[in-house]
Amino acid sequence: MHHIKKTFILLLTSAFLLSAVVYVSDFSFETTAFTQTWLIKVMNWTHYKVINSTLADHIQKELLFSLLPNQQIQPRGTTVAQTTDIPIYYHVAHPLNYHFILDEPDKCSQNPFLVLMVPVAPHQVDARNAIRSTWGHESSVQGKAVLTLFLVGLTGGPEAQQQLEEESRQHRDLVQSNFVDSYFNLTIKTMVIMDWLATRCSQAAYAMKVDSDMYIGLENLMSLLLAPNTPRQNYITGYLMWDRPVVRDKNSKWYVAEELYPEPKYPTYLLGMGYVFSNDLPEKIVEASKVIKPFNIEDAYVGACLKQLGIAPSSPPDPSQFRAYLEQYKREDFLRVITTILGSPQQLIDIWKDVKRPT
Ligand SMILES: *[C@@H]1O[C@H](CO)[C@@H](O)[C@H](O)[C@H]1NC(C)=O
Ligand SMILES: *[C@@H]1O[C@H](CO)[C@@H](O)[C@H](O)[C@H]1NC(C)=O
Ligand SMILES: *[C@@H]1O[C@H](CO)[C@@H](O)[C@H](O)[C@H]1NC(C)=O
C-alpha cells in the first residue's frame, strides 16, 4: 500500500514536471520565434535601406538602437563603407565651403509659411516623384502657403548631371550643392539646407527637414504650427532622442571618433527623419556650426549646435504624432500622425491615395 502511494506520487510529480518542461519550452520557442521574425523584418528592412539609400539608414540605426538597447546590430549591406578604411573622417561641414550649382533663389518670394526641405541622393528620382505627387504637391494647407524643395550633392558624372538639370528645369524644385553626395556627408547636406533657408528663404515662418522616405501628415503639422502655444522663435520639435550613446565601435558605420566628439553621449536631439523648426533657427545653427567640430551624425550634430545656442528641443504637444514606424497600414493611424517612415516610394503613393480618399 505504502509502495503504491509512493509510486503514485512519483508518477504525479514526473507528469507535472514533464508538462512544465513542455509548457516552458513551447512558450520560449514561441517567444524566440516571434523575436526572430520581428528582428529579421527590421534587419531586412534596414538592409533594404542601406542598399537603396545613403540617407535613410541612419534613421534605421536610431530606430534599432532605441528599440533594442545594448544590441549591436550591423546592417548587412554590401555597399556599406568600412569606417576602418577611413582613418578619422574630418568633415568640412560649414556651408561656406560649398556653393550651389542648381539654385532656386526666388522660390520664397511668395512668402511661404512653411518650407519642407528634403535631402535626397541625386539618383533617387522615384522618391522625388512620389513626394511631388503626394505631400510635396500641396501648395496651401489651411490657407497657409507651403513649399517643398529637394537638396542634392554632386552626381556621379556628366550624364547624371544632365538628367538632374533636366529634372530641375521641369520641376523647379531642386537645389544642388558641390559636395560629394554620400552617407558620410549628410551633416554637410543638412548644413547646406540650413544655409539655403537662411540666405534664400528667411521670410518663411517655419521649415522642416524631412527625409525622402517619409509620410508627412501636412494637415496635422499645420495644426501644430498654427496652435496658439507654438512658439514663433527658437522652436524645434520632432521625435526627441535623449541620452543616446556615441558609437565607439570602429567597425560600425555610425562610429564617431572621440577626437570629433569627446562626450560619451549626444545632447538631446531630434531624430533626423523629420524635425520642424521656426525659421529663425537656420541662421543661428549655421553660425553655431563655426565653433562645433563637425561629425557624421547629422541629427546629433544639429543637437550639438542647439546646445551651443542654449536652445532646448521641444517635446511636441502630442509626441505620438512623430512616429518612426507604424507596424501595418491602418488609415486611422495615418490620419493622426505628422511623420512616419515608409518602405518605398510606391507605398507613399498608395497610402496617400487612401488617406486622401473622400469618406
Ligand atoms: C526582405 O525584404 C524584401 C524586399 O522588401 C522582401 O521581398 C523579402 O521577402 C524580405 N525578407 C524577409 C525575410 O522578410
Ligand atoms: C534597391 O533599388 C533598386 C532600384 O532603385 C532595386 O532594383 C532593388 O531591388 C532595390 N534593392 C532592394 C534590396 O530592394
Ligand atoms: C564629403 O564631401 C567632401 C566635399 O565634397 C569630399 O571631399 C569628401 O570626400 C566627402 N566624403 C565622403 C566620405 O564622401
Side-chain angles (χ1 to χ4, degrees), residues 118-322:
V118 187
V120 59
H123 68 271
Q124 291 176 311
V125 190
D126 288 355
R128 289 193 289 275
N129 284 338
I131 292 169
R132 284 176 183 130
S133 66
T134 57
W135 48 264
H137 184 69
E138 310 284 301
S139 58
S140 172
V141 179
Q142 298 182 28
K144 297 284 182 184
V146 180
L147 202 61
T148 299
L149 286 152
F150 300 96
L151 201 127
V152 300
L154 293 171
T155 57
E159 203 179 307
Q161 184 62 28
Q162 257 179 21
Q163 280 173 16
L164 195 77
E165 285 173 16
E166 179 53 41
E167 187 183 333
S168 166
R169 276 191 291 275
Q170 197 184 338
H171 297 283
R172 291 266 153 240
D173 59 3
L174 289 175
V175 176
Q176 185 185 27
S177 176
N178 70 332
F179 61 88
V180 172
D181 197 301
S182 68
Y183 178 77
F184 279 96
N185 276 346
L186 286 181
T187 301
I188 301 178
K189 211 178 240 184
T190 295
M191 296 316 291
V192 167
I193 284 177
M194 295 299 172
D195 179 49
W196 193 89
L197 287 168
T199 57
R200 270 79 169 162
C201 201
S202 59
Q203 60 269 59
Y206 293 96
M208 182 174 193
K209 181 246 155 182
V210 49
D211 284 344
S212 61
D213 57 352
M214 301 298 296
Y215 170 88
I216 299 296
L218 271 183
E219 289 288 340
N220 298 331
L221 173 58
M222 194 55 82
S223 300
L224 165 73
L225 296 178
L226 293 176
N229 292 337
T230 302
R232 305 294 299 247
Q233 285 196 322
N234 295 334
Y235 179 69
I236 182 162
T237 195
Y239 185 113
L240 281 160
M241 303 296 286
W242 285 285
D243 274 341
R244 303 316 298 175
V246 179
V247 177
R248 300 295 189 197
D249 172 4
K250 289 194 180 174
N251 294 314
S252 162
K253 72 191 301 244
W254 306 290
Y255 167 68
V256 173
E258 269 173 64
E259 281 172 85
L260 295 186
Y261 192 83
E263 315 285 327
K265 286 180 176 179
Y266 291 122
T268 303
Y269 66 95
L270 300 143
L271 190 59
M273 63 176 185
Y275 45 86
V276 196
F277 43 93
S278 57
N279 204 33
D280 58 316
L281 284 188
E283 191 183 352
K284 295 173 185 174
I285 290 170
V286 169
E287 193 57 31
S289 78
K290 288 177 183 167
V291 295
I292 305 290
K293 201 186 277 186
F295 53 91
N296 49 300
I297 311 292
E298 67 88 17
D299 44 9
Y301 183 71
V302 171
C305 293
L306 292 170
K307 190 182 170 198
Q308 164 76 17
L309 292 165
I311 295 167
S314 299
S315 189
D318 178 359
S320 73
Q321 286 191 305
F322 285 86

Side-chain angles (χ1 to χ4, degrees), residues 133-142 215-222 329 331-332 334-335 337 348-359:
S133 66
T134 57
W135 48 264
H137 184 69
E138 310 284 301
S139 58
S140 172
V141 179
Q142 298 182 28
Y215 170 88
I216 299 296
L218 271 183
E219 289 288 340
N220 298 331
L221 173 58
M222 194 55 82
Y329 179 70
R331 186 166 184 262
E332 56 272 30
F334 277 79
L335 284 169
V337 299
L348 172 58
I349 293 166
D350 295 343
I351 287 178
W352 190 264
K353 207 179 285 168
D354 191 57
V355 168
K356 290 286 164 183
R357 80 181 141 81
T359 38

